[in-house]
Amino acid sequence: MKIAMVGTGYVGLVTGTCFAQMGNTVTCVDVDAEKISGLKKGLVPIYEPGLEAMVVENSHLGTLKFTTSLKEALVDAEVCFIAVGTPMGADGSADLRYVLKVAEQIGENAVRPLVVVDKSTVPVGTADQVKAVIAAGFQKRGFKGDFWVVSNPEFLKEGAAIDDFMKPDRVIVGAEDAKPLAVMRELYKPFTFSHDRFIEMDVRSAEMTKYAANAMLATKISFMNEIANICEKVGADVNKVRVGIGSDSRIGYSFIYPGCGYGGSCFPKDVRALEKTARDVGYTPRILSAVEAVNADQKKVLPTKVVARFGDNLKGKTFAVWGLAFKPETDDMREASSVTLIQDLLARGALVKAYDPKAEGEAKKHYWPSEQALTFCSSKYEAASGADALLLVTEWKEFRSPDFDELAKSLKNKVIFDGRNQYSAARLAELGFEYYAIGVGK
């Protein structure tokens, strides 16, 4: 099948590359000429395990192409995916300007019957807007071709996106006609061959499913963080509580790990967007509001623990921060807890030495391009050297079992603040460390 993929961000590039891997001919479109030029040379602008090799392989095979011209991509396309960004507006709503701009260009340039797929995470009712914009473009130029707009939300986890796409839990497609459903079922057949995970529904339900899924996962995280905070107050250990409740099959262990808050490009934005949608239709989303409020407070837990231990004025103190990305196996720092932590430490006069195996470039480019009090280190032990305390923020594998003897020699004070509850309090106590975890009462 011939596919146009508009947007070469995280979702668009992964989706287009995976479709090309199955033999489809995919043309990825982006207005960023520099990015397109780099992709043609095999330079992938994001870190995702396995993605770069697949991009290079399929580019060489000719099944994956890159261009800045949507008109060019639409000449042969049977399906056109809209996978552009929907950044959060000041009021929490999803900004649809880029989605509707693509719809406008489709209306101006489509030359054959076309299935238009909303892949971007968009509010309920967006497909209707996209359809209206395309229809207006067709009418303006007197083009009478058929087109259909469907919703196909993505459920990719950063750091595991290739596996998620190749072996999906579910493929959700919302459509109002049999024709586009048949096209989408055929397109996804290689990915759902062993188990039929293709779920059909109406467009608005498909649009809602994406928001509901992310809001549910965010709710589990905030709920467990709230339980952790209560555990600290009453002298309980949230790690033991987690095991106790996770053994209930109705609850399970996924997304009930306490920590210093969720981040990334999806959960924060989608919870706020769904909250805004609810308020727009006259409903007060009390749970969603609480989920977001708990998460915002949770990002302040580590700074609060640092102040409790070292005092409000941190001038003359140096802190090692392990992890900058919002989660392991990605370089994405959007809404990351590390940003809240480091900004707080710097504001109190501290020096910070940070290490992340993948996100240093993002940190320098988007957050701290010239911060004198922040040093980026090339290893975790370099970051720890001479620091008054270590703060673990992102649970990268290389942080799970460090050499604590080496840490004891490197740190000025044997103090660890663990924002992801990765270490054994008993073991660290034996080694003479002060250990501060999330949700563990003293």
Side-chain angles (χ1 to χ4, degrees):
M1 203 171 291
K2 293 181 174 62
I3 301 168
M5 183 66 60
V6 188
T8 60
Y10 184 83
V11 173
L13 189 57
V14 170
T15 301
T17 302
C18 288
F19 278 137
Q21 185 76 8
M22 290 300 181
N24 299 287
T25 300
V26 181
T27 301
C28 291
V29 184
D30 203 292
V31 295
D32 188 335
E34 184 178 352
K35 182 190 287 188
I36 291 297
S37 177
L39 284 166
K40 287 180 177 179
K41 299 172 185 175
L43 303 176
V44 176
I46 58 174
Y47 174 72
E48 177 63 36
L51 180 60
E52 183 173 338
M54 286 178 63
V55 169
V56 171
E57 175 188 352
N58 286 283
S59 294
H60 287 163
L61 291 172
T63 54
L64 185 61
K65 305 173 183 178
F66 302 98
T67 182
T68 57
S69 171
L70 179 55
K71 182 177 182 179
E72 174 188 322
L74 288 175
V75 171
D76 296 319
E78 302 161 76
V79 182
C80 179
F81 282 82
I82 301 177
V84 294
T86 53
M88 184 172 59
D91 61 355
S93 62
D95 187 343
L96 297 178
R97 77 179 83 171
Y98 304 117
V99 171
L100 297 179
K101 182 63 177 177
V102 174
E104 181 182 325
Q105 293 177 357
I106 292 172
E108 294 170 349
N109 294 292
V111 293
R112 54 172 295 162
L114 188 67
V115 176
V116 178
V117 184
D118 281 338
K119 195 68 172 173
S120 302
T121 300
V122 293
V124 176
T126 300
D128 294 338
Q129 296 183 57
V130 169
K131 184 176 180 180
V133 170
I134 295 173
F138 279 19
Q139 183 178 22
K140 184 176 181 180
R141 62 189 174 102
F143 181 64
K144 300 186 182 301
D146 292 327
F147 76 98
W148 304 267
V149 179
V150 306
S151 175
N152 174 218
E154 56 87 14
F155 299 97
L156 306 177
K157 298 187 295 291
E158 293 191 42
I162 301 298
D163 282 345
D164 283 349
F165 200 97
M166 292 295 189
K167 304 170 187 175
D169 292 327
R170 75 283 208 200
V171 173
I172 290 181
V173 175
E176 308 300 341
D177 297 282
K179 170 67 175 177
L181 275 174
V183 171
M184 295 298 287
R185 183 175 284 279
E186 183 65 24
L187 181 59
Y188 275 105
K189 188 175 181 179
F191 306 97
T192 59
F193 187 77
S194 58
H195 296 89
D196 189 359
R197 304 181 188 275
F198 192 93
I199 302 173
E200 302 174 6
M201 59 182 70
D202 62 275
V203 171
R204 286 181 173 243
S205 295
E207 291 172 331
M208 186 64 178
T209 297
K210 169 63 175 181
Y211 280 111
N214 279 351
M216 182 70 238
L217 297 175
T219 298
K220 292 185 73 174
I221 295 171
S222 279
F223 173 81
M224 203 64 206
N225 282 333
E226 186 145 272
I227 294 298
N229 296 334
I230 297 171
C231 283
E232 274 194 38
K233 298 292 185 180
V234 301
D237 185 338
V238 72
N239 300 303
K240 296 173 182 177
V241 174
R242 178 186 63 79
V243 174
I245 67 173
S247 60
D248 186 330
S249 60
R250 296 170 300 173
I251 298 173
Y253 291 105
S254 297
F255 289 86
I256 62 168
Y257 288 83
C260 50
Y262 62 75
S265 63
C266 294
F267 288 5
K269 177 171 69 74
D270 292 354
V271 169
R272 292 169 199 158
L274 184 54
E275 183 180 358
K276 176 64 165 54
T277 295
R279 294 189 187 281
D280 285 347
V281 295
Y283 182 80
T284 301
R286 289 167 291 177
I287 292 177
L288 294 177
S289 299
V291 167
E292 177 58 26
V294 168
N295 190 60
D297 287 344
Q298 200 66 19
K299 292 181 179 180
K300 302 171 187 175
V301 167
L302 281 182
T304 299
K305 289 179 180 293
V306 170
V307 169
R309 169 62 176 79
F310 289 98
D312 187 66
N313 185 350
L314 299 178
K315 189 173 182 180
K317 302 294 184 184
T318 299
F319 295 92
V321 173
W322 283 5
L324 296 169
F326 86 94
K327 62 179 285 188
E329 301 301 331
T330 182
D331 60 356
D332 193 343
M333 286 185 60
R334 285 172 287 185
E335 303 274 352
S337 300
S338 63
V339 177
T340 301
L341 170 64
I342 292 174
Q343 297 287 44
D344 188 281
L345 296 175
L346 294 175
R348 296 178 190 279
L351 299 177
V352 176
K353 299 173 69 179
Y355 168 70
D356 188 288
K358 295 296 179 183
E360 180 181 331
E362 287 295 298
K364 289 179 176 178
K365 180 177 180 181
H366 297 293
Y367 297 94
W368 302 286
S370 58
E371 175 56 61
Q372 297 299 312
L374 173 60
T375 302
F376 295 100
C377 300
S378 58
S379 76
K380 57 182 182 285
Y381 296 119
E382 180 188 345
S385 179
D388 290 277
L390 166 66
L391 296 102
L392 174 65
V393 183
T394 312
E395 63 274 34
W396 286 94
K397 290 179 181 177
E398 69 171 278
F399 300 153
R400 291 183 183 176
S401 298
D403 184 335
F404 289 111
D405 290 333
E406 179 68 24
L407 272 180
K409 296 174 185 175
S410 298
L411 291 168
K412 188 183 298 182
N413 302 304
K414 294 165 67 173
V415 180
I416 296 177
F417 296 90
D418 186 351
R420 299 298 175 185
N421 287 14
Q422 294 290 290
Y423 305 136
S424 165
R427 169 65 173 152
L428 288 175
E430 289 177 2
L431 296 172
F433 281 88
E434 288 181 53
Y435 179 61
Y436 302 89
I438 305 292
V440 180
K442 299 298 183 184

